[in-house]
Amino acid sequence: MKHNASPLEKYHTQSTPNWCPGCGNFGIWVSLKNAIANLQIPHHNVVIVGDIGCSGKLAYWTEVNGFATLHGRSIPVAEGVKMANRDLTVIVVAGDGGTLSEGLQHFIHAARRNVNITVLMHNNQLYGLTKGQASSTSEKGYKSSTTPEGSYETPLNPSVLALVAQATFVAAGFAGNAKHLTQMIEKAITHEGFAYVDAYQPCVTYNYINTYAFYSERTYELEEEYDATNRVEAIQRAMEIDGGQKFPIGVLYQEQGQKTLEDNVLHSDKPLAKRDVSDISVAKLFGR
Amino acid sequence: MAKHTELVITVGGKAGQGVLSSGAFIQQIMSELGLYTFTWTEYPSLIKGGHNAVMVRVSTDSVMTPKETTNIVIALDQVSIEMHWHEMEEGGVILYDSSTIKTEYSHTPTKEQPFSMIGVPLTEISRGIDKSSFYTNTAALGAMHALLDIPTTVFETLLDKKYGRKSQTIVENNVTAVRKAFEYVQNEYDRPQTIPSFSLNRESLDQVIMNGSQAIAYGAVKAGVTFTAAYPMTPATPVFDNLVKLAPEYDIAAKQAEDEISAVCMTVGASYAGSRAMTMTSGGGFSLMVEALGFAGITETPLVVVEAMRGGPSTGLPTKTEQSDLRFIVHASQGEFPRVVLAPGDVEEAYYEAQRAFNLADKYQLPVMIVSDKYLATSQMSFTDFDLDRIKVDRGVLVRSASELGEEVYHRYQLTKDGVSPRALPGTPGLTYKSGSDEHNELGEICEDPDNRVAQMNKRMQKEITLLADLPKPQLYGSKNADVTLISWGSTKHACLEVIDLMKGQDISVNVLHFVYVYPLDEKQLIPILSRLKKAVIVENNYEAQFAGMLKEYVGFVADDHLLKYNGLPFYPAEIVTYLKKKFF
Ligand SMILES: Cc1ncc(C[n+]2csc(CCOP(=O)(O)OP(=O)(O)O)c2C)c(N)n1
Ligand code: SF4
């Protein structure tokens, strides 16, 4: 997949992605850039907070602000960024390894505190950067250097996790369907609160099970009548993927009007980062 | 000069019996009476049921250390008598609640028990008021007034100040308890003349009484901290608690995180976005924060971390003091990156150094660790002159808009002579940039080129050299050419300082060289200072003589000896004196 389709030129950095040719990350990258462009958010107000993994490197390759963090720690870093400056659009880009293994606690707590960030999880069902080891979402039987007999642990269902952790926005998309995924990301970014997007991402180098063909055959768009305001129904729908045959894509759940972390933790509208702190009086604290 | 008089009062009881608030009251009363105080608390890590003790040292002169011995023990339970028996000074008094404690000890001093036992039916007095035992500890303080031969008026005013807004009945009941216990002691006992009495015509002192945790928090507020995140861990929590309390008024975001990893990462994120940000923890939590230190290091994000040490390793001694994390803090995280480690020695230093920590972090874009410990974190110290505005905020070189740049593209990690690259915050109009934990080029893009690597490494490490000019020197206290110099760092400061006075008129003279800035150590600055010392003894609350080792390694200075303590307690000046006499006489 070529990445330099012309309208997106302005999002390119001097260095270009070094993903394997055909990697699903390209489709997600294009969708993300499209979404930011469609929403017309000024570049300088966007921060992509990258995890460590093939996916997270996207933070280096997109012409908005990019902050590449630590493996598993992109979410708390992003929360800090957002609390310090709520005017910024903060998007986490992370793999399933970073999100659901190394940093699972952050994922769950970010969801329940409803921090207004988007978590875009590139779900390739393995650890790409470290050469294909099984991850929390690998299918049973997935063979890798560390699971030579095949993975025997039951995969986690990230959308269900997010829903149970009280996320106020949960959507799924597929790297091979950039048009749809772009919409999902746009909706996630504009959602006021914690937004999780599960992006199915074929890893052409290591994942011989969850290929483009696999997902092309099994993903289907949620029907028009689907009620995305019912958490229980959303959980049921999200659980369909556990059978390994049906993968609904679309907005599984959205709840509006909930207070965000920033609403709760900030005491004024002025971003903390923009406050003049040069002359604060503490005389009162010293009884003066 | 007026005569030096001092006295130690210890209050002991079960957690929940009001021991800590009694300590605070004693301190306030004495301060109103124009006396200096120092309060040291001992508490187990249990919330209820364990033994709590607070020791208030009261003096006509400034005091900053606890003593091994005590003149008055106020025992609210039986255990307190046993716990503090061996600490009693000759001629002292154990004042106990005779309604709940039955003792066979003699009221008047004996050979085996060279102090008095004074029983006051504290619980009964309280019950007599409203059937509760709520006023037991106020009654105890009333009895204490009789022992010290001071009127209860000051205490009564303080009680009114504390409870008056809540309920006048509570004030009245407390005052009744105070007076009843006071009268009881006056009627039943002769005041032991061995208890020092203070002249009462002193002017009340304009004192600042606070502990190190408050001082760090207030310093941070003064420095403009706008973000803090933490996960509770003794003895670091009080710094966070203080900030949480002040958050609405000072517009601070204070977030309890799901763990220390999250706390430090949120803090780095907030700082990256432009907030002055700080996190705080003890050794265990700091262990979890380690990876993020290097992240702040390579991304050149300002970061302030308070590490309040306790006895280690592992869970160790959760509520005891120790200085054993120094080496760990200095070396924590993989790879090499510049950092600053500073260790305030008292409340005043804590307030100023917290502010300097923020300035250094911003100016040099690196992690700064403020090293505290249980002793500094929880000891209440009193100070009379504080210059609240001494330290000015310095946020370092910031690019405020794209037009300020002399070039088309912003180079976040521009190579400069002093190693500091102008910093832009995300959200700066017309400007975007990359920053990341991978080695990068000047633009912030991933780059593994060997020459670039060396250039960026050198640039970062240069900051640790450049900043040396900003670090205050260790301070020498006492005479210039003493026979023995005690070297203190962090909270061992005052135990050493007091020794100067205690050794006056002895065969050897003592002075103190106190270090606040413990890393990096500037060889050029320190050699002239250290090489002049006749005999040097490093005093540290740890087993491995960690700072002595650092002076050896970084400055090539080998001290003549070190005095170490790692039993969970701070140094007492008297034990340093004993050591000096044994070693040098
Ligand atoms: C603390 C830590 N542990 C392990 C690693 C090594 N590591 C780097 S990326 C990665 C997993 C990547 O998998 P994932 O997060 O799913 O991202 P992907 O590469 O598949 O996009 C691991 C284990 C690391 N960088 N840091
Ligand atoms: S290893 Fe897999 S996930 Fe990583 S770049 Fe290659 S194809 Fe993509």
Side-chain angles (χ1 to χ4, degrees):
Chain A
M1 200 179 295
K2 271 190 84 147
H3 64 267
N4 50 347
S6 60
L8 301 172
E9 200 85 59
K10 58 185 181 197
Y11 287 101
H12 297 159
T13 55
Q14 291 180 15
S15 56
T16 47
N18 62 359
W19 293 315
C20 310
C23 170
N25 281 329
F26 285 106
I28 303 176
W29 187 45
V30 166
S31 307
L32 176 61
K33 290 190 292 185
N34 271 326
I36 298 170
N38 292 347
L39 294 171
Q40 299 185 324
I41 311 169
H43 294 197
H44 64 262
N45 277 343
V46 179
V47 182
I48 293 181
V49 181
D51 210 83
I52 298 301
C54 296
S55 44
K57 284 191 181 176
L58 188 157
Y60 286 110
W61 296 323
T62 315
E63 205 51 44
V64 293
N65 295 295
F67 197 24
T69 64
L70 296 170
H71 185 51
R73 314 304 168 201
S74 48
I75 290 177
V77 172
E79 290 178 275
V81 174
K82 187 68 185 180
M83 282 187 270
N85 187 351
R86 67 190 301 180
D87 291 350
L88 297 172
T89 296
V90 181
I91 303 160
V92 168
V93 172
D96 42 299
T99 310
L100 303 172
S101 292
E102 195 84 321
L104 178 65
Q105 72 275 43
H106 309 310
F107 177 64
I108 285 174
H109 289 278
R112 80 182 181 92
R113 58 175 71 113
N114 203 30
V115 53
N116 189 8
I117 61 173
T118 296
V119 173
L120 177 57
M121 191 180 86
H122 296 218
N123 191 354
N124 58 6
Q125 291 154 280
L126 48 75
Y127 295 177
L129 194 66
T130 46
K131 299 199 180 314
Q133 298 86 347
S135 80
S136 315
T137 52
S138 292
E139 287 200 10
K140 273 191 176 173
Y142 169 69
K143 286 189 178 152
S144 72
S145 58
T146 53
T147 50
E149 304 294 321
S151 174
Y152 45 79
E153 285 163 313
T154 310
L156 282 178
N157 185 319
S159 293
V160 170
L161 264 177
L163 285 162
V164 170
Q166 306 300 313
T168 52
F169 181 97
V170 177
F174 169 38
N177 187 347
K179 196 166 154 239
H180 178 265
L181 183 57
T182 301
Q183 287 168 12
M184 292 305 107
I185 298 172
E186 275 178 46
K187 286 184 174 162
I189 291 174
T190 48
H191 175 71
E192 285 285 320
F194 181 81
Y196 170 66
V197 179
D198 190 354
Y200 302 123
Q201 178 229 323
C203 163
V204 293
T205 302
Y206 298 110
N207 200 328
Y208 49 88
I209 305 174
N210 312 103
T211 59
Y212 280 103
F214 175 95
Y215 279 115
S216 298
E217 284 159 22
R218 290 170 178 80
T219 50
Y220 75 97
E221 287 188 32
L222 286 165
E223 58 279 6
E224 292 261 313
E225 317 79 75
Y226 173 74
D227 175 13
T229 64
N230 185 326
R231 195 180 287 273
V232 175
E233 204 170 308
I235 291 171
Q236 275 167 356
R237 269 303 171 88
M239 282 175 69
E240 281 183 0
I241 71 164
D242 295 342
Q245 294 309 317
K246 279 174 87 182
F247 290 76
I249 56 172
V251 177
L252 283 156
Y253 184 72
Q254 182 164 22
E255 181 181 357
Q256 265 145 350
Q258 289 295 323
K259 272 193 169 184
T260 63
L261 169 64
E262 306 85 88
D263 293 336
N264 285 312
V265 85
L266 299 176
H267 300 282
S268 77
D269 291 333
K270 182 156 184 146
L272 302 176
K274 292 184 181 162
R275 279 191 37 210
D276 175 15
V277 297
S278 58
D279 194 19
I280 288 171
S281 170
V282 291
K284 218 174 111 191
L285 303 179
F286 288 80
R288 297 199 180 158
Chain B
M1 225 177 76
K3 191 172 139 275
H4 171 86
T5 311
E6 71 163 78
L7 168 79
V8 177
I9 305 167
T10 299
V11 186
K14 287 195 219 0
Q17 275 190 318
V19 171
L20 298 185
S21 69
S22 302
F25 266 129
I26 296 175
Q27 203 162 18
Q28 286 169 31
I29 295 162
M30 298 305 168
S31 174
E32 291 290 325
L33 293 174
L35 297 161
Y36 292 87
T37 55
F38 170 89
T39 304
W40 161 249
T41 46
E42 265 300 311
Y43 53 89
S45 49
L46 304 164
I47 294 305
K48 270 210 169 169
H51 176 74
N52 267 13
V54 44
M55 161 188 279
V56 187
R57 191 170 164 202
V58 185
S59 171
T60 47
D61 302 291
S62 170
V63 275
M64 296 287 172
T65 55
K67 273 184 85 170
E68 234 166 336
T69 55
T70 186
N71 303 89
I72 297 178
V73 165
I74 298 174
L76 299 175
D77 67 351
Q78 179 83 41
V79 179
S80 301
I81 297 183
E82 289 148 28
M83 292 281 291
H84 301 287
W85 188 268
H86 63 281
E87 294 166 7
M88 288 304 299
E89 287 241 12
E90 244 182 78
V93 170
I94 294 186
L95 193 155
Y96 64 95
D97 182 1
S98 58
S99 336
T100 54
I101 305 166
K102 300 291 162 227
T103 85
E104 301 122 46
Y105 306 116
S106 150
H107 153 56
T108 46
T110 63
K111 228 175 131 208
E112 300 76 50
Q113 176 210 303
F115 48 84
S116 315
M117 297 287 298
I118 292 192
V120 184
L122 302 170
T123 305
E124 240 165 77
I125 291 175
S126 177
R127 291 244 156 85
I129 296 168
D130 72 355
K131 299 205 167 73
S132 77
S133 55
F134 188 71
Y135 311 103
T136 312
N137 59 339
T138 11
L141 296 191
M144 174 197 80
H145 279 76
L147 283 182
L148 296 176
D149 196 19
I150 51 177
T152 56
T153 36
V154 168
F155 185 28
E156 290 173 19
T157 316
L158 290 172
L159 284 167
D160 186 55
K161 245 197 211 160
K162 180 157 181 189
Y163 300 114
R165 245 179 299 158
K166 233 197 256 165
S167 135
Q168 211 47 50
T169 319
I170 297 185
V171 177
E172 279 160 26
N173 291 351
N174 273 294
V175 170
T176 309
V178 169
R179 291 188 185 167
K180 280 209 162 142
F182 184 89
E183 282 157 22
Y184 183 90
V185 175
Q186 279 205 325
N187 295 339
E188 301 292 322
Y189 300 99
D190 291 328
R191 186 182 112 80
Q193 295 305 313
T194 41
I195 294 290
S197 63
F198 294 100
S199 123
L200 289 178
N201 44 17
R202 300 169 62 87
E203 268 186 49
S204 90
L205 290 170
D206 184 15
Q207 293 189 55
V208 170
I209 301 178
M210 61 174 66
N211 59 38
S213 306
Q214 269 170 302
I216 291 172
Y218 294 179
V221 170
K222 177 67 190 164
V225 70
T226 48
F227 182 86
T228 181
Y231 188 83
M233 186 167 190
T234 306
T237 314
V239 180
F240 186 60
D241 287 349
N242 274 294
L243 287 176
V244 171
K245 229 185 277 167
L246 300 172
E249 192 180 340
Y250 287 91
D251 196 6
I252 298 165
K255 181 80 198 93
Q256 179 178 318
E258 60 272 24
D259 57 27
E260 289 85 351
I261 299 177
S262 177
V264 69
C265 286
M266 283 179 178
T267 307
V268 173
S271 174
Y272 157 82
S275 179
R276 277 206 148 175
M278 166 161 110
T279 183
M280 56 290 286
T281 185
S282 189
F286 190 73
S287 300
L288 296 183
M289 292 185 177
V290 162
E291 193 188 11
L293 298 182
F295 171 47
I298 195 166
T299 58
E300 304 196 41
T301 309
L303 173 66
V304 177
V305 184
V306 179
E307 214 271 41
M309 301 176 288
R310 61 195 217 181
S314 193
T315 309
L317 297 166
T319 62
K320 304 280 178 176
T321 204
E322 203 163 270
Q323 293 182 305
S324 51
D325 295 351
L326 177 65
R327 281 283 198 176
F328 172 46
I329 295 165
V330 165
H331 299 297
S333 213
Q334 73 269 31
E336 297 158 314
F337 57 91
R339 74 182 83 197
V340 176
V341 182
L342 55 91
D346 55 39
V347 161
E348 194 176 16
E349 285 179 356
Y351 174 71
Y352 296 130
E353 298 309 337
Q355 295 170 65
R356 285 218 184 88
F358 279 97
N359 283 350
L360 287 166
D362 266 352
K363 205 169 155 189
Y364 298 102
Q365 305 174 28
L366 41 65
V368 178
M369 269 67 80
I370 302 174
V371 182
S372 167
D373 52 35
K374 187 261 172 177
Y375 173 65
L376 177 67
T378 61
S379 296
Q380 300 279 343
M381 306 179 181
S382 55
F383 280 86
T384 39
D385 44 8
F386 242 88
D387 177 2
L388 296 186
D389 304 318
R390 183 190 293 172
I391 313 284
K392 303 285 172 241
V393 168
D394 183 352
R395 297 227 52 187
V397 194
L398 282 171
V399 180
R400 303 273 179 195
S401 73
S403 55
E404 266 180 38
L405 292 174
E407 43 190 0
E408 278 280 293
V409 224
Y410 169 53
H411 291 78
R412 171 66 186 92
Y413 300 107
Q414 190 186 358
L415 298 173
T416 58
K417 244 181 138 174
D418 61 4
V420 179
S421 321
R423 177 175 167 229
L425 306 177
T428 305
L431 178 159
T432 64
Y433 67 93
K434 306 289 171 289
S435 178
S437 59
D438 302 84
E439 186 57 277
H440 41 250
N441 58 22
E442 287 181 278
L443 286 168
E445 298 175 337
I446 294 191
C447 182
E448 298 191 343
D449 173 75
D451 293 339
N452 174 76
R453 158 70 174 179
V454 171
Q456 284 294 329
M457 265 302 280
N458 291 352
K459 173 194 117 62
R460 285 191 295 268
M461 297 313 292
Q462 174 61 41
K463 296 191 292 182
E464 204 172 271
I465 300 167
T466 307
L467 66 82
L468 290 175
D470 267 3
L471 302 188
K473 281 187 198 157
Q475 181 107 22
L476 190 75
Y477 294 88
S479 65
K480 270 220 168 89
N481 294 306
D483 301 316
V484 178
T485 299
L486 297 173
I487 296 179
S488 63
W489 67 270
S491 75
T492 54
K493 175 183 178 183
H494 284 280
C496 292
L497 288 188
E498 216 176 304
V499 172
I500 300 177
D501 281 343
L502 293 175
M503 292 296 286
K504 281 217 172 104
Q506 304 274 354
D507 289 351
I508 55 163
S509 58
V510 171
N511 63 8
V512 173
L513 186 66
H514 173 61
F515 282 79
V516 172
Y517 287 80
V518 290
Y519 186 87
L521 291 167
D522 184 357
E523 199 180 335
K524 281 206 202 82
Q525 179 200 64
L526 293 174
I527 286 180
I529 300 172
L530 292 166
S531 60
R532 268 213 315 265
L533 308 180
K534 289 189 194 154
K535 289 255 182 257
V537 176
I538 302 184
V539 182
E540 299 189 61
N541 256 142
N542 59 44
Y543 176 90
E544 290 178 333
Q546 297 186 16
F547 189 59
M550 285 173 61
L551 283 177
K552 249 187 241 175
E553 181 181 340
Y554 296 111
V555 190
F557 172 76
V558 182
D560 296 280
D561 200 8
H562 41 245
L563 179 59
L564 306 172
K565 187 171 181 180
Y566 43 88
N567 66 352
L569 296 169
F571 277 99
Y572 302 115
E575 68 192 345
I576 303 179
V577 170
T578 308
Y579 157 83
L580 287 172
K581 288 185 175 168
K582 217 158 106 194
K583 174 91 187 170
F584 295 102
F585 277 23

